[in-house]
């Protein structure tokens, strides 16, 4: 069975949310119905993927326009790299936005920066394990919609997390729980 890191992270958040039902999580994991914010985030990632390092005041991609006030982007040479790893019977895959030495770089768009939300998550742990890296850096861009498919983007705020002893075992435990959930609920939905 194959699982994306993002699906395992959705499962982890679901377990901590007493109000979300199994049916809601299954629907989230099995359908592709992105929100407007998700489409804007995808477009911004595409703009960053295609950009050269340097100063930008405006970027465009996938029909979206992004206004960047006084923004100097330091972008890694290695971008959009996918890896796979086995966690018990579960094959896990993840794609990083950038890789620089033993540092994973991830770009996030959000309407509000919440460092604890990122640090509590497991995405960074899996990515450090999958890419044999030691440091995970988020470049968090707060975006604000100013018109139809036009967004104002703040300069990136950075946050880092580091490999720790027992990280692999934490990932294996969560993967085992996800595997059990997927066997019970996702096979029925397929």
């Amino acid at each position: 069975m194959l699982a994306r890191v993002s699906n395992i992270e959705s499962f982890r958040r679901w377990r901590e949310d007493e109000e979300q039902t199994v049916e809601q999580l299954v629907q989230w994991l099995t359908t592709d119905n992105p929100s407007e914010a998700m489409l804007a985030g995808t477009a911004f990632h595409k703009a960053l993927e295609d950009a050269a390092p340097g100063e930008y005041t405006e970027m465009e991609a996938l029909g979206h326009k992004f206004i960047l006030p006084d923004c100097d982007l330091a972008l890694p040479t290695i971008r959009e790299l996918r890896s796979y790893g086995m966690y018990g019977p579960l094959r896990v895959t993840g794609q990083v936005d950038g890789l620089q030495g033993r540092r994973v770089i991830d770009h996030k768009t959000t309407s509000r920066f919440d460092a604890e939300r990122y640090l509590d998550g497991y995405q960074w742990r899996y990515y450090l394990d999958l890419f044999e890296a030691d440091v995970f850096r988020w470049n968090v861009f707060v975006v604000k919609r100013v018109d139809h498919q036009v967004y104002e983007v703040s300069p990136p705020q950075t946050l880092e997390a580091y490999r720790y002893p027992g990280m692999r075992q934490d990932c294996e435990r969560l993967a085992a729980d996800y595997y059990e959930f997927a066997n019970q609920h996702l096979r029925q939905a397929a």
Side-chain angles (χ1 to χ4, degrees), residues 45-78:
H45 273 79
K46 179 67 175 160
L48 291 176
E49 180 184 344
D50 295 342
E55 292 184 23
Y56 291 87
T57 58
E58 190 175 299
M59 301 175 91
E60 293 187 25
L62 305 176
H64 291 71
K65 181 177 177 181
F66 301 96
I67 302 164
L68 303 135
D70 195 23
C71 189
D72 186 12
L73 296 175
L75 299 169
T77 304
I78 300 173

Side-chain angles (χ1 to χ4, degrees), residues 7 67 89 126 184:
N7 287 356
I67 302 164
Y126 279 104
Q184 184 175 357

